[in-house]
């Protein structure tokens, strides 16, 4: 009888301790995995969000860059992590949608292996060329690319990254096949562009706007309907004769499947607070990011975004015959 009472008391004590621990989450630093190298769009957005979220939660969000295989190495790590709220992910269009079409043996399913937390920022896409490429605008670039595609190359943040997908989309519209040079993130791709090792890149505003503003690269076009206030001299794709070239990336927070709902809710609230903060908003907006409205800041909205993006991009990828083994 005494043993039974002791066992029952111990079990009740364990439940109470677990509930208390969950109620006081977080009690230690949280690892925020970025599946690309430092300096790229996903990394920049992650660090801006982590800075403010850490203050809201009372614990530091430690950004860890885990690279490889177009970002899928880092994402797989989060998918297999303990669902306790202490390992979360900053994923993007490439890792959470394009990967489904690129990797037949993908180690995770973006639709079922994660708890969506919140979309942090959408990022219009820019096409920029190295300074000495002999073109003045996007129309000249199109003509030059069509005439010289086999001899030209472009850099991206890796096979299946948002930057790769955008260039692939543009190529499909133009009917050209230049050489793709994948890197382990958009930061190294941009460095290669600045060094003249690649001819052009298609990248998100957050990563590329400062170099356009400094005139270190030739900003050719923004792949959205309206010009961007941060780079007002760069025309839209419609203005340059290719209106169907519309592309926007996004970066969003996810937790492993099975993470308790109250923890997801707490992380979502901290992410919302970050986007309400004037300093964080200004940091993102100054780099050309577009922030989701309230309706777009729910876990449910992010889950719907992932599903719709998979439906959109997988046919494009399969039609182009691109695989993650390239």
């Amino acid at each position: 009888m005494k043993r039974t009472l002791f066992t029952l008391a111990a079990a009740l004590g364990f439940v109470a301790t677990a509930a208390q621990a969950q109620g006081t989450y977080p009690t230690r630093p949280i690892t925020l995995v970025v599946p690309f190298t430092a300096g790229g769009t996903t990394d920049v957005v992650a660090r801006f969000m982590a800075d403010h979220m850490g203050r809201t939660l009372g614990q530091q969000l430690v950004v860890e860059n885990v690279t490889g295989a177009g970002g899928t190495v880092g994402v797989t790590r989060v998918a297999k992590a303990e669902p306790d709220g202490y390992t979360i992910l900053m994923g993007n269009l490439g890792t959470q949608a394009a990967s489904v079409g690129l990797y037949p043996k993908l180690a995770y399913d973006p639709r079922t292996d994660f708890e969506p937390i919140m979309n942090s920022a959408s990022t219009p896409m820019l096409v920029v060329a190295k300074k000495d490429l002999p073109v003045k605008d996007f129309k000249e670039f199109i003509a030059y690319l069509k005439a010289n595609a086999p001899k030209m190359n472009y850099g991206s943040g890796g096979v299946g990254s948002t930057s790769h997908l955008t260039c692939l989309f543009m190529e499909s519209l133009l009917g050209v096949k230049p050489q793709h040079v994948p890197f382990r993130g958009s930061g190294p791709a941009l460095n290669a562009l600045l060094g003249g090792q690649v001819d052009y890149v298609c990248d998100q505003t957050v990563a590329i706007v400062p170099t356009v503003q400094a005139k270190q690269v030739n900003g050719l076009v923004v792949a959205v309907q309206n010009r961007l206030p941060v780079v007002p001299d760069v025309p839209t794709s419609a203005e340059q004769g290719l209106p169907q070239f519309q592309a926007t990336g996004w970066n969003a927070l996810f937790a492993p499947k099975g993470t308790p709902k109250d923890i997801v809710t707490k992380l979502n609230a901290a992410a919302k607070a970050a986007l309400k903060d004037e300093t964080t908003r200004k940091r993102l907006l100054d780099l050309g990011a577009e922030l989701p409205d309230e309706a777009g800041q729910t876990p449910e909205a992010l889950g719907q975004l992932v599903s719709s993006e998979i439906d959109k991009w997988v046919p494009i990828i399969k039609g182009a015959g691109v695989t993650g083994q390239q």
Side-chain angles (χ1 to χ4, degrees), residues 25 28 30-31 76-88 254-260 263:
Y25 168 87
R28 54 187 170 87
I30 299 165
T31 298
T76 300
R77 174 178 162 180
V78 177
K80 294 180 178 180
E82 286 294 321
D84 56 8
Y86 289 101
T87 303
I88 61 176
F254 299 86
K257 186 68 176 179
T259 301
I263 289 179

Side-chain angles (χ1 to χ4, degrees), residues 261-281:
K261 186 175 180 179
D262 59 338
I263 289 179
V264 172
T265 299
K266 199 163 190 177
L267 289 166
N268 174 267
K272 284 182 177 179
L275 291 191
K276 287 181 181 177
D277 175 67
E278 286 304 316
T279 299
T280 305
R281 288 180 64 85

Side-chain angles (χ1 to χ4, degrees), residues 5 41 77-78 80 98 162 214 251 269 300 319:
L5 290 172
T41 299
R77 174 178 162 180
V78 177
K80 294 180 178 180
T162 305
N251 296 274
E300 294 76 18

Side-chain angles (χ1 to χ4, degrees), residues 26-41:
T27 59
R28 54 187 170 87
I30 299 165
T31 298
L32 174 53
V33 173
V34 172
F36 302 101
T37 55
T41 299

Side-chain angles (χ1 to χ4, degrees), residues 51-59 266 269-271 273-274:
D51 182 46
H52 194 277
M53 288 178 66
R55 295 198 296 273
T56 300
L57 293 167
Q59 291 287 344
K266 199 163 190 177

Side-chain angles (χ1 to χ4, degrees), residues 184-209:
R184 284 180 171 253
S186 58
L190 177 57
N191 288 335
L193 180 69
L194 293 171
Q197 285 87 46
V198 295
D199 296 312
Y200 66 96
V201 300
C202 309
D203 211 342
Q204 301 175 73
T205 50
V206 171
I208 209 79
V209 157

